[in-house]
Amino acid sequence: MNNIPTNTQMDRKNSPGCPSIIKLTNISFSYPGSENRVLDCLNLNIRAGDQIGMIAPNGSGKTTLLHTIMGLCKPDKGSIEVLGSPMETQKDFTRIRSEVGLLFQDSDDQLFCPRVLDDVAFGPLNIGFSQQQAIEISLNILEKLGIKELEKSVTHRLSGGQKRLVALASVLSMSPKILLLDEPTTGLDKTVKQKLIHILNHLNITYLVISHEFDFLKAVTNKIYSMDKGRVLTDEYNL
Ligand SMILES: Nc1ncnc2c1ncn2[C@@H]1O[C@H](COP(=O)(O)OP(=O)(O)OP(=O)(O)O)[C@@H](O)[C@H]1O
Ligand SMILES: [Mg+2]
């Protein structure tokens, strides 16, 4: 995260000429056994450099949308492209998982190792870094998030806010090209929230952040979308 241009150095407002990074076309999805279409002919185009916020009522399908982008929910209809490639098989989704970092809404879905450092180093190890490199990367991220002292802690005994930060560290340690953050501020105190704002504002990557906190979204994104009736509304809150 060092030596990268800040958002203020980027054109934060618009990216109409930039390539599409995630493109969903006419996506419909219902959970198995349910007739309720959570996503209903949904279209979404995220371009390189977009830093998009999403705010919408509980149950409107935000988490389902992120899971669909990651291949965790299989749409009944429609097509998905990520980084220019069509996502048609589970293999396609597996291939892009190191490039697209998803912060799950529930930290317990993200963290599965006994100790914090193992959880954060898991991703880098998995993509081929040596043990030493993975530890170095992980300690660096933990330090940036201000939680280096937790490196040896037992993950499941952490507080909710601490788990949130460790989960975020485990996503950032992969250096993803795209970040999908599902309510990253849950359980974070004011100081830590400010730190997260600072970190996001210094990450020169494309992201989509879901939150119920409008001020937080305003501080870290350049446009804010909403969802209604299974579709994304892109002109709801233009900043
Ligand atoms: N595993 C599941 N099985 C069946 N229905 C589900 C499942 N997960 C979510 N749903 C339903 O899908 C709809 C959308 O849920 P989703 O979690 O995507 O909403 P959300 O916008 O993320 O809500 P929140 O703001 O509360 O996180 C809800 O009606 C929910 O009950
Ligand atoms: Mg949700």
Side-chain angles (χ1 to χ4, degrees):
M1 279 187 272
N2 286 329
N3 305 321
I4 49 175
T6 65
N7 285 341
T8 45
Q9 291 166 285
M10 295 170 66
D11 175 12
R12 287 203 65 172
K13 197 67 196 168
N14 233 326
S15 45
C18 293
S20 209
I21 293 272
I22 292 175
K23 193 170 185 190
L24 305 191
T25 310
N26 288 327
I27 292 288
S28 294
F29 174 78
S30 306
Y31 282 96
S34 162
E35 290 191 359
N36 175 35
R37 274 196 177 184
V38 179
L39 309 179
D40 190 8
C41 286
L42 175 147
N43 291 297
L44 174 66
N45 192 6
I46 303 178
R47 292 180 182 277
D50 273 346
Q51 292 173 330
I52 297 171
M54 181 165 284
I55 192 163
N58 294 130
S60 54
K62 305 178 296 297
T63 295
T64 306
L65 169 62
L66 297 196
H67 288 188
T68 304
I69 294 171
M70 297 301 289
L72 304 174
C73 290
K74 191 174 180 304
D76 307 311
K77 272 204 290 187
S79 62
I80 304 174
E81 262 179 41
V82 177
L83 293 163
S85 303
M87 297 292 110
E88 284 159 357
T89 63
Q90 273 311 311
K91 225 173 172 183
D92 295 328
F93 286 107
T94 307
R95 196 167 34 76
I96 53 106
R97 273 195 198 137
S98 62
E99 322 225 50
V100 186
L102 169 65
L103 180 76
F104 282 89
Q105 181 166 1
D106 183 345
S107 304
D108 289 330
D109 290 338
Q110 195 114 39
L111 304 170
F112 49 85
C113 294
R115 307 257 168 197
V116 165
L117 190 58
D118 301 326
D119 250 320
V120 182
F122 181 87
L125 276 175
N126 211 28
I127 54 172
F129 283 101
S130 70
Q131 181 88 6
Q132 198 189 339
Q133 286 168 324
I135 288 176
E136 217 167 276
I137 291 167
S138 304
L139 290 175
N140 190 20
I141 297 282
L142 288 172
E143 176 141 40
K144 283 207 163 82
L145 292 172
I147 50 167
K148 191 153 176 281
E149 74 282 1
L150 297 181
E151 65 170 290
K152 294 194 175 76
S153 300
V154 175
T155 312
H156 79 265
R157 289 200 200 124
L158 297 175
S159 75
Q162 287 171 326
K163 278 188 190 169
R164 208 74 201 116
L165 287 173
V166 174
L168 184 62
S170 75
V171 174
L172 293 179
S173 67
M174 299 279 285
S175 298
K177 290 195 179 125
I178 308 158
L179 268 180
L180 304 174
L181 304 178
D182 200 346
E183 302 196 24
T185 59
T186 307
L188 301 188
D189 66 44
K190 209 168 149 191
T191 311
V192 177
K193 213 178 285 177
Q194 280 308 320
K195 188 170 281 180
L196 179 59
I197 290 172
H198 180 81
I199 288 167
L200 289 176
N201 278 330
H202 286 76
L203 273 183
N204 187 21
I205 63 172
T206 305
Y207 55 73
L208 173 64
V209 191
I210 292 169
S211 176
H212 294 289
E213 296 184 59
F214 191 74
D215 286 346
F216 169 72
L217 290 182
K218 249 174 89 174
V220 297
T221 63
N222 47 25
K223 42 193 155 190
I224 299 182
Y225 294 169
S226 187
M227 274 187 80
D228 186 41
K229 298 186 179 73
R231 296 186 186 191
V232 175
L233 310 178
T234 57
D235 52 0
E236 193 77 336
Y237 306 98
N238 257 320
L239 300 177

